Amino acid sequence: MPCCHYNQRPPLRFHFCPPSTASKSPPMLKLLSSTSSRAHCLTVTTATPTLLIKQEPNSVFHALGRLTGLTRKSHKNSLFRACFCSDSSDGSEPKPAVEVEEKGAESESESESGSDSKASSAIVSTYPRPEDCLTVLALPLPHRPLFPGFYMPIYVKDPKLLAALQESRKRQAPYAGAFLLKDESETEPSSSSETEKSVYDIKGKELFNRLHEVGTLAQISSIQGDQVILIGHRRLRITEMVSEDPLTVKVDHLKDKPYDKDDDVIKATSFEVISTLRDVLKTSSLWRDHVQTYSQHIGDFNFPRLADFGAAISGANKLQCQEVLEELDVHKRLQLTLELVKKEMEISKIQETIAKAIEEKISGEQRRFLLNEQLKAIKKELGLETDDKTALSAKFRERLEPNREKCPPHVLQVIEEELTKLQLLEASSSEFNVTRNYLDWLTVLPWGNYSDENFDVIRAQTILDEDHYGLTDVKERILEFIAVGKLRGSSQGKIICLSGPPGVGKTSIGRSISRALNRKFFRFSVGGLSDVAEIKGHRRTYIGAMPGKMVQCLKNVGTANPLVLIDEIDKLGRGHAGDPASALLELLDPEQNANFLDHYLDVPIDLSKVLFVCTANVVENIPNPLLDRMEVIAIAGYITDEKMHIARDYLEKTAQEACGVKPEQVEVTDAALLGLIENYCREAGVRNLQKHIEKIYRKIALRLVREGSSNESVISGEVVQPTEAKAEVDETDQHAAANETTVEVESVGNSSHELKSESSVQTSDLPQDSKDATETEKLQETETTKAVEKVLVDPSNLADFVGKPVFHAERIYDQTPVGVVMGLAWTAMGGSTLYVETTHVEQGEGKGALHVTGQLGDVMKESAQIAHTLARAILLEKEPDNPFFANTKLHLHVPAGATPKDGPSAGCTMITSMLSLAMKKPVRKDLAMTGEVTLTGKILPIGGVKEKTIAARRSEVKTIIFPSANKRDYDELAPNVREGLDVHFVDDYTQIFNLAFNSYTRN
């Protein structure tokens, strides 16, 4: 008895479709006709299910009659053969191949009995029967479930499992269970190769838990190496696990739930499935020629097979196919299949719409291209227009002609080669655009074109003084540059670096220098720059490639000797695209930039005439090789007197113009400006001072507008009454009050005064009209003479304009107490004074220790330890009987606690504070000191002398102690900075001790 019965349905005959052809062949459709027989063979090999149908003509009516019950008798029996081919090695979706073969005429009863003796021998007759297999080997399917009646090749990498399959086939029990593998993570899809790898690695109970319960009993058709060909027979459900390696499970055979073949709902659903499949095959270009053959033989399927067939050939994902496989209710299974084929139809429609739109677009572009080409050919024949390549070449040659004699020979050679290359390229090629852009950049650069420089030192000095106050070092260096150029007859480029805190005018001085030298100005910032291509340019092979900043600079300014300001050079970044600081080495090296090579242009460019001015806040952040190539000019900041001059001569005028306020409408006193500088704007620069001055003038503008609006109020009637007019009414004499009016008017630039106009004309002596006219003229005259009061800004009302003071006096103590000493510090905003405070926590035998606070850095903590050690040695020398440090725990604090502090220059201040506490002697109240100290008492030099001196003057300190090595720095300060200061230079702490304590006199 044949073993391939399918629920008492006509037997199935299966043929294997090789995986290579199923997975790799391009979509094609071929109809094979045979004249020697009545059969037609249609083979479809596509990326979707493959269908092979052998049919006998004119059987569609019998097939539909059998499926719908309309025709009870049929003269044909159909044998359906289906194969599902998949090549799991490449991770592609499985590709089903279906064969439908019609045998000779047989009765329906014979087909229902399942005893077809004429069936093909494609399915091996096995024993035991499929329904007798209750324990099977479990085979995991990673991609799609296997439907009954379909082929599926799988690859078995487990040697034990492969041996077990071969053994089962030898025992004439070639059956196994094929079960779909569950996804390990539904939210993180993995590639096909990862899925295959995980399938091979999972074994035993873990594999059992990953399998879907419902699968298919599969006959092992053949085993070739590690490839096993499976043929689906019937549905199975896993009940329990028998063994782990190889995985063997007990199963129950599932049967479809009983259904009524004559049920109208099932018939209607099946017809809808057939109709939808027909529509899919019509709309899809992959199945267009197959619709007739498939429609004629779809009736040979019964309802369950129709549902399985539709789900198997659909492009649904594996979970949706598994849902169809698990459904035993025929009606529900048909509904699920209907949903899948409906989706296929929608996808086919969308595909057809997209293809149509693209086809229309391509055809339109081709038509436009042909018309444009014809138009160009016509214009060229008539002599109306030359082609694009000729016009471009003419434009480039015309652009190059003025500078041809100055252009270097190697550049001319490259340009000529590129012009020749341009003529040989097609205008539609990508290389044509690259060459055109390259020529555009080569011909637009100012080869050998230099601007006429100014060698007049006096004129340059005047221009620099007009724009900036102070900055003597910078101005002197620029004048030296001009003087050298005048003596040589030509100037060379230099690299100057201006360093200093924010707001001191580093960037703005660059524009003034360019104006003084009569050079073109170009500025670009490198703060945060992390791509070398911004400096050196991109290679032309990249899409959207552009030259670097220097080439763009030369194109914009049009001369080869501009002044280039490179801003924020101390804030260069470094990323995956290279190190821009290293790329700047070539640009800022006087020995290399004469042949600067940009990656885009790929020809040397002479930048030796360019004057580079760089700006930086902290010089220490600049890499040493780059810093070595620059001439550093430090701009320490401005003292109070300099800020006063800058505010009067520059900032105030700018603010007046920006706010539309006339000078005669406002007056800001010197005391107000001084209070603004000392209590609001203590920074080294003047940017914050400019913001506060602009704020004052904005509020003045608002006040002027409000007062002007109130003065323009109009009273309806013939007489306009001024706001400031006051009528003096004498209640006892109504007649006199009508003829006398007192008007108070405030004039510009003077305090308010009263203008009294009295009329002695009696009302009875003049007509009423004449009296009204006279009064109107007087009031109009008063209206023209009135003006708005001049706004005065002084210390008393300064807070009304800029708010409460931000800074207070840095001097905390009027009289310095014991254990407190004033030190001097440098910050990025300028200099400041700080106090070092020391007190004792507890005393006792051997309790000597030191505790420091104030958010001090590591260097400052080490300075405190050095100071503690040296202070003990000095105290032992000065007062041998004083055991203060040995028996006292000290607490050293540096306010303010929220400000981070670090640096070695507070060493001498800490020693003095500890000795003051130990000897119970306060230091002089007007004394401040700074200097790094060693364990032997030597005082080392420090930095920021100007900033610290300015901070000492701001705190009204008269006596300052500096290291001897800083005397040269102090002597370079301006006289107005050194005025009134008693400065001592020391090289040993003994000198500081004598100045702080021996000369002490309590005030």
Side-chain angles (χ1 to χ4, degrees):
M1 180 178 180
C3 60
C4 54
H5 288 184
Y6 184 89
N7 293 341
Q8 302 303 320
R9 295 294 185 262
L12 300 179
R13 189 174 299 165
F14 300 85
H15 292 281
F16 169 62
C17 179
S20 60
T21 59
S23 61
K24 299 179 181 179
S25 300
M28 66 179 180
L29 194 60
K30 183 169 62 178
L31 183 62
L32 301 179
S33 302
S34 175
T35 57
S36 60
S37 64
R38 300 171 59 190
H40 298 279
C41 179
L42 180 67
T43 303
V44 181
T45 305
T46 66
T48 57
T50 304
L51 189 64
L52 179 62
I53 299 178
K54 291 182 179 180
Q55 55 98 14
E56 191 169 332
N58 302 322
S59 60
V60 64
F61 300 106
H62 298 283
L64 293 177
R66 290 185 57 193
L67 186 62
T68 59
L70 298 178
T71 304
R72 292 300 179 184
K73 294 183 179 180
S74 175
H75 300 287
K76 288 183 174 59
N77 179 32
S78 299
L79 178 63
F80 171 67
R81 299 190 302 175
C83 72
F84 191 92
C85 299
S86 172
D87 187 358
S88 58
S89 63
D90 62 354
S92 60
E93 287 296 326
K95 301 169 180 60
V98 181
E99 289 191 26
V100 179
E101 179 182 336
E102 289 201 359
K103 304 302 291 182
E106 294 178 358
S107 62
E108 182 180 359
S109 60
E110 291 176 349
S111 110
E112 291 294 333
S113 64
S115 59
D116 185 13
S117 61
K118 300 179 181 180
S120 173
S121 60
I123 298 180
V124 181
S125 178
T126 59
Y127 184 83
R129 296 176 302 172
E131 56 267 22
D132 295 335
C133 299
L134 302 178
T135 302
V136 295
L137 294 170
L139 300 178
L141 303 179
H143 302 297
R144 288 174 68 95
L146 173 62
F147 281 91
F150 282 84
Y151 272 95
M152 177 178 288
I154 65 171
Y155 290 87
V156 179
K157 302 296 184 181
D158 187 359
K160 292 184 179 180
L161 180 58
L162 186 62
L165 292 174
Q166 291 174 343
E167 184 66 25
S168 298
R169 194 163 184 269
K170 289 179 182 179
R171 293 202 310 265
Q172 295 186 350
Y175 291 102
F179 301 94
L180 181 66
L181 195 67
K182 296 179 182 178
D183 289 335
E184 185 175 1
S185 176
E186 297 293 339
T187 59
E188 297 180 1
S190 59
S191 63
S192 299
S193 59
E194 293 175 351
T195 303
E196 290 290 341
K197 184 178 179 182
S198 63
V199 171
Y200 301 145
D201 294 340
I202 299 174
K203 295 181 181 179
K205 193 169 184 179
E206 183 182 0
L207 178 59
F208 177 78
N209 295 330
R210 287 280 303 275
L211 295 179
H212 283 276
E213 290 185 1
V214 178
T216 308
L217 179 66
Q219 177 184 339
I220 305 171
S221 176
S222 65
I223 301 177
Q224 300 175 359
D226 59 352
Q227 185 185 55
V228 180
I229 308 299
L230 302 178
I231 307 172
H233 273 265
R234 57 179 63 198
R235 287 170 168 80
L236 299 176
R237 185 188 301 276
I238 298 177
T239 57
E240 60 178 314
M241 183 174 63
V242 177
S243 62
E244 294 188 3
D245 195 11
L247 181 62
T248 308
V249 296
K250 286 186 178 181
V251 294
D252 287 340
H253 292 259
L254 303 178
K255 295 183 180 180
D256 295 333
K257 294 180 180 180
Y259 64 95
D260 185 5
K261 297 181 181 179
D262 298 329
D263 185 81
D264 294 337
V265 177
I266 294 179
K267 289 182 182 180
T269 307
S270 63
F271 275 128
E272 185 63 24
V273 172
I274 295 171
S275 176
T276 306
L277 282 172
R278 183 183 293 111
D279 292 339
V280 170
L281 299 176
K282 286 181 179 180
T283 57
S284 174
S285 60
L286 303 175
W287 299 88
R288 187 172 298 157
D289 296 335
H290 178 61
V291 60
Q292 295 298 330
T293 306
Y294 173 71
S295 300
Q296 292 175 2
H297 289 81
I298 195 63
D300 290 337
F301 295 96
N302 55 25
F303 297 127
R305 291 186 184 179
L306 177 63
D308 291 345
F309 179 78
I313 69 170
S314 69
N317 60 45
K318 60 181 182 180
L319 295 180
Q320 292 174 329
C321 293
Q322 179 66 26
E323 187 178 0
V324 176
L325 183 66
E326 294 177 356
E327 186 58 58
L328 300 180
D329 187 286
V330 176
H331 178 230
K332 292 183 179 179
R333 193 189 303 170
L334 284 169
Q335 287 181 328
L336 293 175
T337 301
L338 181 60
E339 292 180 6
L340 299 183
V341 295
K342 285 287 187 183
K343 290 180 181 178
E344 286 293 317
M345 186 176 69
E346 293 300 326
I347 293 174
S348 299
K349 290 181 179 179
I350 295 173
Q351 179 183 356
E352 185 178 3
T353 304
I354 294 173
K356 185 177 180 181
I358 293 176
E359 184 179 356
E360 291 178 354
K361 181 179 179 182
I362 293 176
S363 62
E365 290 179 354
Q366 289 178 345
R367 182 172 178 272
R368 189 178 302 108
F369 175 76
L370 290 175
L371 291 176
N372 286 332
E373 290 298 321
Q374 291 175 2
L375 181 61
K376 291 178 182 178
I378 293 172
K379 289 184 177 181
K380 187 176 181 180
E381 289 295 330
L382 296 176
L384 299 177
E385 184 181 281
T386 59
D387 60 349
D388 293 341
K389 293 186 288 186
T390 305
L392 282 173
S393 299
K395 183 184 75 170
F396 292 143
R397 293 184 185 279
E398 181 182 356
R399 184 189 292 174
L400 182 65
E401 194 61 33
N403 297 328
R404 178 175 288 274
E405 295 180 357
K406 303 176 183 178
C407 188
H410 63 276
V411 177
L412 285 175
Q413 181 181 356
V414 172
I415 293 176
E416 292 297 333
E417 291 176 356
E418 292 297 321
L419 286 172
T420 305
K421 178 181 176 182
L422 187 71
Q423 294 294 328
L424 300 176
L425 292 173
E426 290 293 334
S428 58
S429 65
S430 58
E431 185 69 18
F432 180 85
N433 293 325
V434 174
T435 305
R436 182 186 62 185
N437 292 336
Y438 183 46
L439 282 169
D440 191 18
W441 279 101
L442 280 176
T443 55
V444 80
L445 292 182
W447 301 104
N449 186 15
Y450 301 102
S451 59
D452 296 332
E453 290 195 73
N454 170 40
F455 293 115
D456 188 349
V457 177
I458 298 177
R459 178 176 175 273
Q461 178 77 54
T462 304
I463 294 175
L464 293 174
D465 291 339
E466 283 179 1
D467 297 338
H468 291 81
Y469 181 84
L471 301 180
T472 307
D473 296 341
V474 182
K475 295 178 181 178
E476 192 73 19
R477 180 64 185 88
I478 299 305
L479 296 178
E480 293 172 0
F481 179 82
I482 295 175
V484 171
K486 183 174 183 179
L487 294 178
R488 290 188 54 184
S490 63
S491 62
Q492 293 293 321
K494 289 293 179 182
I495 296 94
I496 300 173
C497 179
L498 306 178
S499 67
V504 296
K506 300 186 297 298
T507 303
S508 60
I509 192 67
R511 195 177 299 274
S512 298
I513 294 172
S514 68
R515 194 160 66 92
L517 296 175
N518 195 28
R519 289 194 177 201
K520 295 295 182 67
F521 178 77
F522 184 84
R523 171 193 171 273
F524 70 93
S525 176
V526 295
L529 188 69
S530 61
D531 191 356
V532 174
E534 292 291 331
I535 306 297
K536 299 277 289 181
H538 302 84
R539 303 283 182 187
R540 292 199 305 276
T541 54
Y542 298 125
I543 297 176
M546 289 186 64
K549 284 292 185 182
M550 277 312 303
V551 178
Q552 298 178 32
C553 160
L554 297 179
K555 176 185 176 182
N556 291 338
V557 299
T559 60
N561 62 337
L563 185 146
V564 179
L565 180 70
I566 303 177
D567 227 345
E568 311 294 350
I569 200 170
D570 59 329
K571 299 175 181 62
L572 279 169
R574 184 172 186 175
H576 67 280
D579 185 11
S582 301
L584 284 173
L585 295 178
E586 179 185 0
L587 181 65
L588 300 182
D589 192 338
E591 301 298 327
Q592 298 183 42
N593 60 14
N595 294 302
F596 178 75
L597 190 65
D598 186 89
H599 289 162
Y600 183 87
L601 293 185
D602 206 22
V603 292
I605 305 173
D606 184 10
L607 300 179
S608 59
K609 304 291 185 182
V610 178
L611 175 60
F612 292 97
V613 178
C614 307
T615 67
N617 295 125
V618 183
V619 178
E620 288 74 13
N621 292 342
I622 304 175
N624 288 332
L626 186 59
L627 185 63
D628 183 61
R629 287 162 167 78
M630 297 186 293
E631 180 182 349
V632 180
I633 300 177
I635 304 177
Y638 301 105
I639 61 175
T640 303
D641 295 341
E642 292 174 335
K643 286 186 177 181
M644 286 286 293
H645 283 91
I646 293 172
R648 283 295 186 197
D649 299 339
Y650 303 97
L651 303 182
E652 197 172 7
K653 295 179 180 178
T654 304
Q656 289 174 355
E657 295 176 0
C659 298
V661 179
K662 298 179 180 179
E664 60 269 14
Q665 292 178 311
V666 63
E667 180 182 356
V668 181
T669 63
D670 292 341
L673 273 181
L674 183 62
L676 187 66
I677 294 170
E678 293 184 347
N679 299 328
Y680 296 87
C681 310
R682 286 188 182 178
E683 297 83 5
V686 294
R687 184 176 290 124
N688 194 34
L689 178 62
Q690 180 183 7
K691 294 177 183 177
H692 280 76
I693 293 177
E694 290 176 352
K695 185 176 182 180
I696 291 174
Y697 275 89
R698 286 197 304 269
K699 290 189 176 295
I700 291 174
L702 178 61
R703 178 179 296 184
L704 293 175
V705 172
R706 282 178 174 172
E707 291 180 359
S709 300
S710 63
N711 291 336
E712 292 175 0
S713 59
V714 178
I715 302 177
S716 59
E718 293 183 359
V719 179
V720 179
Q721 181 78 17
T723 308
E724 299 176 359
K726 291 189 264 184
E728 298 179 356
V729 180
D730 189 356
E731 296 180 355
T732 60
D733 191 358
Q734 297 285 342
H735 182 73
N739 291 279
E740 184 176 354
T741 304
T742 303
V743 182
E744 182 179 298
V745 179
E746 296 182 3
S747 61
V748 176
N750 299 304
S751 60
S752 60
H753 62 278
E754 293 185 354
L755 177 62
K756 298 183 179 179
S757 60
E758 299 181 358
S759 175
S760 60
V761 180
Q762 300 297 326
T763 314
S764 58
D765 298 339
L766 292 175
Q768 184 65 29
D769 295 341
S770 300
K771 183 187 74 171
D772 294 342
T774 304
E775 188 171 350
T776 301
E777 291 176 359
K778 291 179 180 180
L779 293 176
Q780 288 178 349
E781 184 179 354
T782 303
E783 182 77 15
T784 58
T785 57
K786 77 181 185 67
V788 181
E789 181 181 1
K790 186 174 185 176
V791 179
L792 179 67
V793 180
D794 55 16
S796 62
N797 63 355
L798 181 62
D800 298 337
F801 294 93
V802 291
K804 295 181 180 180
V806 179
F807 299 101
H808 301 281
E810 292 184 355
R811 175 178 286 276
I812 303 176
Y813 306 101
D814 293 334
Q815 178 63 46
T816 308
V818 173
V820 178
V821 180
M822 179 186 291
L824 300 174
W826 177 91
T827 65
M829 304 301 293
S832 66
T833 58
L834 54 83
Y835 285 92
V836 177
E837 303 174 342
T838 307
T839 185
H840 60 83
V841 180
E842 58 179 340
Q843 289 183 332
E845 185 69 24
K847 289 189 176 181
L850 177 65
H851 177 64
V852 295
T853 57
Q855 203 170 347
L856 308 183
D858 294 337
V859 176
M860 207 164 182
K861 289 179 181 178
E862 292 178 356
S863 296
Q865 293 295 335
I866 295 172
H868 187 248
T869 302
L870 187 59
R872 294 184 66 169
I874 294 175
L875 184 65
L876 184 64
E877 179 185 350
K878 300 293 183 182
E879 299 180 4
D881 299 332
N882 191 345
F884 179 80
F885 289 109
N887 302 329
T888 306
K889 182 179 180 180
L890 301 180
H891 182 182
L892 186 145
H893 177 67
V894 183
T899 305
K901 312 170 191 69
D902 202 5
S905 62
C908 61
T909 312
M910 293 179 177
I911 296 176
T912 307
S913 174
M914 294 178 188
L915 290 175
S916 172
L917 181 66
M919 296 186 302
K920 297 182 180 179
K921 287 184 178 181
V923 298
R924 296 170 52 179
K925 70 174 184 177
D926 61 343
L927 175 67
M929 63 185 69
T930 179
E932 179 182 358
V933 68
T934 66
L935 279 174
T936 58
K938 294 296 181 181
I939 306 299
L940 302 182
I942 46 86
V945 173
K946 181 178 181 180
E947 291 87 346
K948 293 179 179 180
T949 306
I950 293 173
R953 289 179 59 89
R954 190 166 55 237
S955 298
E956 299 179 356
V957 173
K958 302 299 182 183
T959 305
I960 304 176
I961 298 176
F962 280 131
S964 297
N966 292 111
K967 189 175 188 306
R968 178 177 57 85
D969 300 326
Y970 182 80
D971 292 340
E972 292 178 355
L973 299 181
N976 59 346
V977 178
R978 296 179 295 173
E979 183 181 359
L981 294 178
D982 182 16
V983 181
H984 299 271
F985 299 96
V986 298
D987 51 15
D988 191 85
Y989 185 77
T990 305
Q991 300 170 266
I992 299 178
F993 185 89
N994 296 332
L995 290 170
F997 298 108
N998 293 348
S999 60
Y1000 162 71
T1001 55
R1002 180 175 294 276
N1003 295 328

